[in-house]
Amino acid sequence: MNVYQPERIRNVVLLGHSGSGKTTLAETMLFETGTIRRRGSVLKKTTTSDYHEIEKEKQKSVFSTFLNLDWRGDKINLIDTPGTSDYIGEVVGALRVADTALFIINAENGIEVQTEALWKYTEEYRIPSLLIVNKPDSNHSNFQKAVDMAKERFGRGVVVVQYPYSEGEDFHAIIDVLKMTMYEFPEEGGKPDKLPIPDSHKAQAELLHNELVESVAENDETLLDVYLEQGELTESQMREGLQLSLLKRELFPIFCNCAARNMGTGRVMGFIGNVAPNPLEANPPKDVNSEEKSLNEDGDPMMFMFKNSAESHVGDLLYFKVYGGSVQPGMDLQNNSTGNLVRLSSLYLTNGEKREEINQVKTGDIGAAVKLKDTGVNDTLTAKGTQVKLEPIHFPTPVIRTAVRLKKEGDEDRLGNALHQLQREDLSMQVEHSQELRQVIIHGQGKEHLAVIKYELQNRFDLDVEFVTPRIPYRETITKAVRTHYKHKKQSGGAGQFAEVNLLIEPLRDSMPEHSDLKVRDVQEIDLDWGGKLVFRNCIVGGVIDNRFIPAILKGIMEKMENGPMSSCRVRDLRISVFDGAMHSVDSNDAAFKSAALMAFKKGFMDAAPKLMEPVYEILVTVPAQYMGDVMSDISTRRGQIQGMDAEGSIQKIKAQVPLEELDHYATHLKSITKGSASYSREFSHYAAVPRDRQQQIINETMALDETG
Ligand SMILES: Nc1nc2c(ncn2[C@@H]2O[C@H](COP(=O)(O)OP(=O)(O)OP(=O)(O)O)[C@@H](O)[C@H]2O)c(=O)[nH]1
Ligand SMILES: [Mg+2]
């Protein structure tokens, strides 16, 4: 493989709803460019792109795959992404380094849900986008419907460049209204014959041609003048105009392809080479301060790590894009996340599973590296002394959680290591080792995402695991103030133990009453690790308890707060004042005061009308208007409270607060009641009292868990 100049590189990401034909199209492109000799298929599990076992099993993509091909001297780095929304983490990394997006639309269904969601990402990332309508050979193909839907959803910028001569089984030719040519394909696909547009299609082709030329002219004043004067634009003027309006996301050309029959990819690759931006022309990346960083091919080397896909026998395989200079094996670069120097060892170009070693990667190009010490996704590596850090990829926050249970004891360390590795590879998942809940909890993007994680744990890491319902981090607090007292006295043989403590325990509020009989000598405001506060006050007068025992008293209280008196849940939001007690000159010590305080607190807490609190999340549901009613009534059955609504075209946004307990299978349920068209995000909001009838039930459940462990 040659080393390419930035001008000859095109970084292209394939996007679209699952099943639209991205992997098939990628395979066809690899075949057409001679990169592979035999064209594999998704159904036969033989594509270059879906090479992971789980992808073969599911017959769909789960991971983003990096391919590279040469089309007439242009190097196309093609990234095939999964179209299932659960695997969005794989897509956002790819979007970060792509300079052009190719949306694949299934001609049977038009614009589908995930395609719309991905479109929003390309808007946000400002990625020039083309659309390819695929599967025109299907008996259910409806090209015009796909075009109409695209115009409706993505705006007037959508323009037809190609359309099928006929649809269904008979499909064999594409009419190109930019070149004003018909491409007719041999039965086995491949290189088409270029023919004049048949009379029966002339009027339609002329109409679309004029629409296209007008759209290009409209977006550029100089071209508009030429067009108005001459009534036409030359091929090079069209190219120039298309290039500009593509980059500015003013135009979104539509092509037609039949990936399965290998018809039409050549023209699309040609268009990418001629019109799509090279990395130097593309919208530049930003650094962590949101400043744009233009690419300097003659400058110092700079590379950004955007994906980690550990491969067997090599360990972490880190994919990178070069944003300045060029990088070579043996170079020492500075990792600006850690400050450490990192030596580059072997560098590769990849075509799915196949890796080819390369001795240089230039500005704008994408490669993969192994054995990079302490380096991971989102790190920027630069020449020594250069401090640039590119903006990290923002992975979506998880919407679903599960607890992992090992079926065999003794595998805990192996599980910990496996999850650590999986997390290095997938930043859209989060792992929480919850001491509080005594569970390892995995947070992910959906049921299928969690299923892939389970598959990896079982098959790649050989761990016998099951996924179980995660516990809820309830909290305990009190609703009234009490004074409590405990005397700890023990006589065992020689030395005894003695301590006596009086506490005032109050619910913590914004404005608290003062007590005329208490003299506050010292206040500690403690932010609890598990949220909420403890205000701890020393109100001892006359030295009835020595100052040196006060920390032991606090320790005793804190110990019980971590393991609440009512249901072993964490306790929060209290004000506790030590106001009296007694000590003994010989028998009092820290241990005695700690025990006395713990017991006093435990007893007082239970007398102070304790209550259980549950975590409440704020959710934001995005849903097409027609499902709005269903989603709202579902939220109310989940004890949810609607906070607000907002409309964005035909899409509604619902904000609500829902207890975590009610969100356990929400992601899956929401999809099922909206035919996959709704999505949601969530974030912790606050703790609220558990309904009375649930409280005792939860206490019984957690107590039972305590016994079984
Ligand atoms: N009739 C017809 N079927 C096609 C065409 N292209 C792809 N398919 C079929 O559509 C199905 C899905 O194709 P894929 O290439 O796996 O789709 P994808 O977009 O990669 O799907 P995800 O990986 O799930 O995102 C497969 O069964 C393909 O054989 C086409 O041009 N015509
Ligand atoms: Mg695929």
Side-chain angles (χ1 to χ4, degrees), residues 14-29 39 42 47 49-50 59-61 78 80-81 83 102-109 112 115 132-135 257-260 265:
L14 296 177
L15 299 175
H17 199 85
S18 178
S20 54
K22 297 177 293 297
T23 300
T24 311
L25 188 86
E27 188 74 6
T28 302
M29 286 182 169
R39 201 152 61 94
V42 175
T47 60
S49 195
D50 287 355
Q59 299 197 354
K60 64 164 153 173
S61 309
L78 193 66
D80 178 25
T81 65
L102 270 192
F103 275 90
I104 316 303
I105 315 291
N106 183 345
E108 297 169 336
N109 305 332
E112 296 173 88
T115 304
I132 297 183
V133 178
N134 186 38
K135 305 196 187 181
N257 254 249
C258 183
T265 55

Side-chain angles (χ1 to χ4, degrees), residues 365-420:
D365 212 347
I366 286 173
V370 288
K371 301 192 180 74
L372 297 186
K373 204 164 166 268
D374 296 332
T375 299
V377 171
N378 275 337
D379 288 350
T380 308
L381 269 56
T382 58
K384 210 172 149 189
T386 321
Q387 294 301 340
V388 182
K389 249 167 124 175
L390 293 178
E391 192 186 12
I393 302 159
H394 301 288
F395 290 89
T397 47
V399 292
I400 189 168
R401 41 173 227 145
T402 185
V404 195
R405 186 146 71 198
L406 281 166
K407 290 195 193 155
K408 267 203 323 251
E409 251 179 62
D411 273 345
E412 289 74 13
D413 284 353
R414 286 208 306 125
L415 175 67
N417 292 339
L419 287 171
H420 181 72

Side-chain angles (χ1 to χ4, degrees), residues 193-208:
D193 285 330
K194 292 181 191 166
L195 303 175
I197 293 174
D199 287 346
S200 57
H201 277 262
K202 270 213 169 113
Q204 167 78 346
E206 286 290 345
L207 188 81
L208 291 170

Side-chain angles (χ1 to χ4, degrees), residues 213-226:
V213 179
E214 272 169 32
S215 306
V216 171
E218 261 175 29
N219 287 313
D220 185 300
E221 267 181 42
T222 342
L223 290 181
L224 186 60
D225 289 344
V226 178

